[in-house]
């Protein structure tokens, strides 16, 4: 009875002569088939001592695996040749594999960053798991202030920090404002903070996790004209030159005065009419973008910045929301549903 090494070299020899799929099939049967040489080797197990059996079995297994692999590889090669009616034609185009695409939220984050970085803003990303202090107190919302309720915050079951309070999933990127003031120390500050935020809502215009982008600009002599100019720049760069921005008075604890920003409806272009019918997306020709205003002196103080010497503005907008407005998407849940047919369009 031939030993393992003999079988291996016999096989290697015969493999060289397996010049087509039929010959290869015969070779496979004679080695790996039921009455093949590998099974014959296994039948020899009986004649081995119990000590020998383990390593003998292992060697046969390894041999079997190596023969199987060599046969499979040759089979693939021979079938390709067969499909192509002869030798491999290297001039044929290769196989095209499906390509992935960048997620639409990632694309928007890149676009937004580029627009602001070009005019000197620094891209940051502050924690999504945050302390109460940065999400509320530092933003002029002391403990038990009613304004906190608007944010429907989720708290984390973690030890309470003696200075900074409970941990939470930050409901807005404004929590990066005072962190950025501390990081920079002395103005000028020009921050564009893009990060994940959380609020427990799930409908056509809300997902419990969403992205916001927060702008902050602090320096000597900063006023509302700088805010309006920077906003208009963003609106035209992101939505297109035919889109206008406007400020509408509002209230936020962390800005004074505060505004909401609207932009021309991207669907009816502000006319409130689409092909003679009423625009379905807006009522007044405007769409709401988000909140903004002049940074409240108490926020500058929390950031260790002298409000008598410096002033600033801030804004916070939703990334998913600006994408919706730009492309006229009517259900934000599509972004995260993982349906490739939706995502592939971007
Ligand atoms: N943080 C606010 C929100 O999520 C939005 C906002 C309003 C941010 C005014 C600002 C601001 O920076 O100045 O609802």
């Amino acid at each position: 009875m031939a030993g393992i090494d003999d079988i291996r070299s016999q096989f290697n020899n015969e493999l060289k002569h397996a010049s087509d799929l039929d010959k290869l099939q015969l070779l496979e049967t004679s080695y790996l088939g039921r009455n093949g040489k590998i099974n014959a080797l296994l039948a020899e197990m009986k004649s081995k001592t119990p000590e020998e059996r383990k390593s003998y079995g292992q060697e046969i297994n390894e041999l079997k695996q190596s023969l199987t692999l060599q046969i499979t590889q040759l089979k693939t090669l021979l079938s390709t040749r067969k499909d192509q009616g002869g030798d491999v034609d290297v001039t044929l185009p290769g196989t095209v594999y499906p390509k992935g695409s960048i997620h639409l939220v990632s694309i928007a984050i890149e676009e937004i960053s580029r627009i602001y970085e070009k005019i000197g803003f620094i891209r940051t990303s502050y924690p999504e798991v945050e302390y109460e202090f940065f999400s509320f107190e530092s933003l002029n919302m002391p403990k038990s202030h009613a304004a906190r309720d608007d944010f429907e915050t989720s708290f984390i079951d973690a030890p309470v920090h003696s200075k900074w309070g409970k941990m939470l999933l930050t409901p807005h990127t404004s929590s990066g404002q005072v962190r950025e003031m501390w990081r920079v120390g002395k103005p000028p500050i020009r921050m564009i903070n893009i990060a994940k935020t959380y609020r427990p809502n799930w409908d056509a215009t809300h997902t419990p996790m969403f992205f916001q982008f927060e702008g902050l600009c602090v320096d000597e002599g900063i006023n509302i004209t700088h805010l309006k100019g920077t906003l208009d720049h963003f609106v035209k760069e992101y939505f297109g030159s035919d889109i206008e921005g406007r400020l509408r008075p509002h209230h936020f604890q962390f800005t004074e005065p505060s505004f909401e920003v609207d932009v021309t409806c991207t669907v009816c272009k502000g006319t409130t009419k689409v092909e003679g019918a009423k625009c379905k997306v807006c009522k007044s020709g405007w769409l709401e973008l988000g909140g903004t205003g002049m940074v409240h002196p108490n926020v500058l103080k929390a950031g260790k910045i002298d409000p008598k010497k410096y002033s600033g503005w801030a804004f916070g907008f939703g990334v998913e929301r600006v994408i919706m407005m730009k492309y006229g998407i009517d259900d934000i849940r599509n972004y995260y549903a993982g349906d490739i047919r939706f995502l592939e369009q971007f």
Side-chain angles (χ1 to χ4, degrees):
M1 171 73 209
I4 294 181
D5 290 335
D6 300 326
I7 300 283
R8 184 180 294 116
S9 57
Q10 260 177 36
F11 174 82
N12 287 340
N13 254 328
E14 288 178 42
L15 190 70
K16 286 185 202 138
H17 300 289
S19 50
D20 60 40
L21 286 169
D22 293 339
K23 287 186 186 140
L24 186 62
Q25 182 60 57
L26 286 175
L27 182 70
E28 184 173 8
T29 317
S30 77
Y31 281 82
L32 299 169
R34 193 143 54 90
N35 299 315
K37 294 179 181 164
I38 294 286
N39 276 347
L41 281 175
L42 277 171
E44 288 297 299
M45 193 74 97
K46 294 196 292 287
S47 65
K48 304 285 171 192
T49 62
E51 296 80 51
E52 287 169 332
R53 281 185 190 165
K54 191 170 171 214
S55 67
Y56 184 74
Q58 229 165 25
E59 274 185 70
I60 297 178
N61 251 334
E62 278 162 22
L63 178 63
K64 190 175 173 183
Q65 277 171 13
S66 132
L67 303 197
T68 311
L69 182 68
Q70 291 182 72
I71 289 173
T72 316
Q73 284 172 341
L74 188 56
K75 218 183 254 177
T76 314
L77 188 70
L78 290 173
S79 7
T80 327
R81 280 191 196 164
K82 198 171 162 210
D83 292 347
Q84 295 169 356
D87 283 337
V88 177
D89 180 353
V90 294
T91 64
L92 283 174
T95 313
V96 181
Y97 294 100
K99 254 196 251 155
S101 59
I102 299 177
H103 194 272
L104 76 166
V105 171
S106 303
I107 298 174
I109 290 175
E110 274 310 305
E111 283 178 7
I112 295 164
S113 306
R114 218 173 311 125
I115 293 170
Y116 283 100
E117 278 169 351
K118 248 191 189 165
I119 53 171
F121 281 68
I122 292 174
R123 165 78 195 276
T124 64
S125 176
Y126 281 112
E128 58 193 273
V129 181
E130 194 36 297
Y131 286 108
E132 251 178 315
F133 175 81
F134 296 99
S135 292
F136 296 120
E137 268 103 315
S138 72
L139 294 169
N140 197 34
M141 283 180 275
K143 278 215 159 32
S144 73
H145 194 287
R148 289 189 183 206
D149 295 348
D150 298 343
F151 295 95
E152 296 181 88
T153 311
S154 301
F155 288 90
I156 303 277
D157 191 4
V160 177
H161 192 281
S162 56
K163 261 214 242 140
W164 298 337
K166 290 191 233 163
M167 289 200 97
L168 42 76
L169 296 177
T170 196
H172 57 174
T173 42
S174 305
S175 51
Q177 288 192 18
V178 161
R179 283 192 178 272
E180 180 71 355
M181 292 177 198
W182 288 4
R183 186 187 73 81
V184 175
K186 194 172 164 327
I189 295 171
R190 279 155 186 62
M191 166 190 89
I192 182 76
N193 171 29
I194 311 184
K196 283 180 179 166
T197 50
Y198 299 82
R199 291 183 210 176
N201 301 312
W202 182 247
D203 59 32
T205 52
H206 298 91
T207 48
M209 185 285 299
F210 57 105
F211 285 86
Q212 281 192 336
F213 57 112
E214 182 96 7
L216 176 69
C217 172
V218 182
D219 206 346
E220 282 181 58
I222 294 290
N223 61 46
I224 296 178
T225 63
H226 303 123
L227 165 61
K228 182 68 166 60
T230 313
L231 282 176
D232 285 346
H233 175 74
F234 170 75
V235 167
K236 301 222 177 282
E237 289 286 308
Y238 186 76
F239 294 107
S241 54
D242 53 346
I243 304 295
E244 302 279 332
R246 76 171 182 191
L247 297 178
R248 197 162 30 79
H250 198 76
H251 173 80
F252 295 103
Q253 277 300 114
F254 29 96
T255 38
E256 183 55 43
S258 304
F259 309 95
E260 278 197 324
V261 186
D262 296 332
V263 300
T264 320
C265 173
T266 48
V267 174
C268 67
K269 306 284 183 210
T271 61
T272 69
K273 294 259 177 320
V274 179
E275 290 165 3
K278 257 175 125 182
C279 178
K280 287 201 187 103
V281 176
C282 69
K283 285 196 188 89
S284 57
W286 295 94
L287 292 174
E288 190 186 308
L289 185 60
T292 188
M294 299 303 292
V295 180
H296 195 286
N298 288 349
V299 178
L300 291 172
K301 277 188 211 149
K304 305 189 177 95
I305 289 175
D306 180 0
K308 289 205 192 76
K309 183 159 180 211
Y310 296 104
S311 54
W313 53 252
F315 67 77
F317 304 149
V319 174
E320 288 85 347
R321 181 159 175 80
V322 294
I323 302 172
M324 261 179 135
M325 289 160 72
K326 182 164 175 163
Y327 299 106
I329 298 169
D330 59 7
D331 196 330
I332 191 177
R333 290 168 295 195
N334 285 324
Y335 296 18
Y336 299 114
D339 185 337
I340 198 86
R341 292 167 304 178
F342 172 78
L343 297 172
E344 265 174 352
Q345 301 174 78
F346 300 92

